[in-house]
Amino acid sequence: MEQMVNRQYAASMTKTLTVLNSFPHTLADQALFQIGLLYAQPENPNQDYEKSLESFNKILNEFPESRLRNQSQMWILFIRDVIDKKQKIEILDNEIVSLKRTVAQQKTESALLQKKIETRKNAELIESLEKTVDEQKEEINQLLDQIEKLKRVDLGIEEKKQKILLQDEHIEEKKDGKDSGS
């Protein structure tokens, strides 16, 4: 967890995979959740939304009673939305490239006949498309901000969970100490 907060994604992934392999029956859902978060991080150089979705889906499929089920479902929805938005941006970017080529051709042709009129129309078309792309990019940035906020919430939850686990262990140790003393 600490490595993830410090953006040491490779180290965090290694540690999480070790936990997953060492405790496949007790901590697997938590490790898979952590793996999903790591792969969803925009700053992670190995970011992979498909692998992130795979980890969250494993929690749903293999650990139906996991307390991380609802959070996993939420992350799946957010990641799918980000993927959809990125695909839309890519399509719009390709359309812009295609339209820019068309505009260039039209500028050459219109120079012979109505250079000023056609140039103005094409410029408005490009401006409109660029505005649409900017709006889509803004939506993606908002989604990425939401992911960051959710990550912080999840990290807070994880920290609280760790404190509770430590308290439970401490209580068990005290209980074991009393049992052996009587």
Side-chain angles (χ1 to χ4, degrees):
M1 174 82 64
E2 183 178 321
Q3 287 118 350
M4 188 167 139
V5 172
N6 294 328
R7 296 183 177 171
Q8 298 171 347
Y9 300 107
S12 184
M13 182 64 75
T14 301
K15 187 174 182 180
T16 304
L17 289 171
T18 300
V19 169
L20 179 63
N21 292 328
S22 299
F23 305 98
H25 301 291
T26 55
L27 299 176
D29 62 334
Q30 295 170 38
L32 286 167
F33 190 81
Q34 186 72 17
I35 290 168
L37 291 177
L38 285 166
Y39 277 126
Q41 292 304 310
E43 299 89 13
N44 184 350
N46 296 319
Q47 178 206 38
D48 187 330
Y49 287 132
E50 295 302 323
K51 288 182 180 179
S52 180
L53 286 173
E54 187 178 308
S55 292
F56 291 127
N57 278 317
K58 272 188 180 181
I59 293 170
L60 299 181
N61 296 329
E62 296 176 18
F63 302 95
E65 301 300 319
S66 173
R67 60 186 175 74
L68 297 171
R69 182 176 179 77
N70 290 339
Q71 291 177 37
S72 296
Q73 289 171 328
M74 184 175 62
W75 274 99
I76 288 169
L77 291 174
F78 278 115
I79 291 169
R80 284 184 181 156
D81 195 37
V82 168
I83 290 170
D84 288 344
K85 297 290 185 194
K86 283 190 172 197
Q87 288 172 345
K88 288 177 183 177
I89 285 177
E90 186 177 332
I91 289 168
L92 288 172
D93 284 342
N94 290 336
E95 286 180 22
I96 286 174
V97 169
S98 176
L99 287 169
K100 284 184 178 182
R101 287 185 193 132
T102 302
V103 167
Q105 292 170 353
Q106 289 177 351
K107 283 182 181 180
T108 302
E109 294 170 7
S110 69
L112 300 173
L113 303 171
Q114 300 176 349
K115 189 173 183 178
K116 290 182 181 179
I117 295 171
E118 291 300 314
T119 301
R120 181 182 230 169
K121 288 180 183 178
N122 291 330
E124 289 174 0
L125 179 61
I126 289 173
E127 187 177 307
S128 172
L129 287 171
E130 288 175 341
K131 182 179 178 184
T132 301
V133 169
D134 288 343
E135 290 170 358
Q136 290 288 320
K137 286 181 180 178
E138 181 60 30
E139 283 183 39
I140 284 183
N141 286 334
Q142 290 172 357
L143 287 170
L144 291 174
D145 288 345
Q146 288 177 354
I147 287 174
E148 278 299 312
K149 288 176 185 174
L150 288 170
K151 177 185 101 176
R152 288 192 290 274
V153 168
D154 285 336
L155 290 174
I157 290 170
E158 186 66 26
E159 289 173 1
K160 288 178 184 177
K161 180 184 76 178
Q162 292 297 326
K163 287 179 184 177
I164 290 170
L165 288 174
L166 288 173
Q167 290 173 352
D168 287 349
E169 289 175 6
H170 186 66
I171 290 170
E172 283 295 322
E173 289 173 3
K174 283 185 176 180
K175 182 181 171 186
D176 291 344
K178 287 181 181 178
D179 289 345
S180 62
S182 40

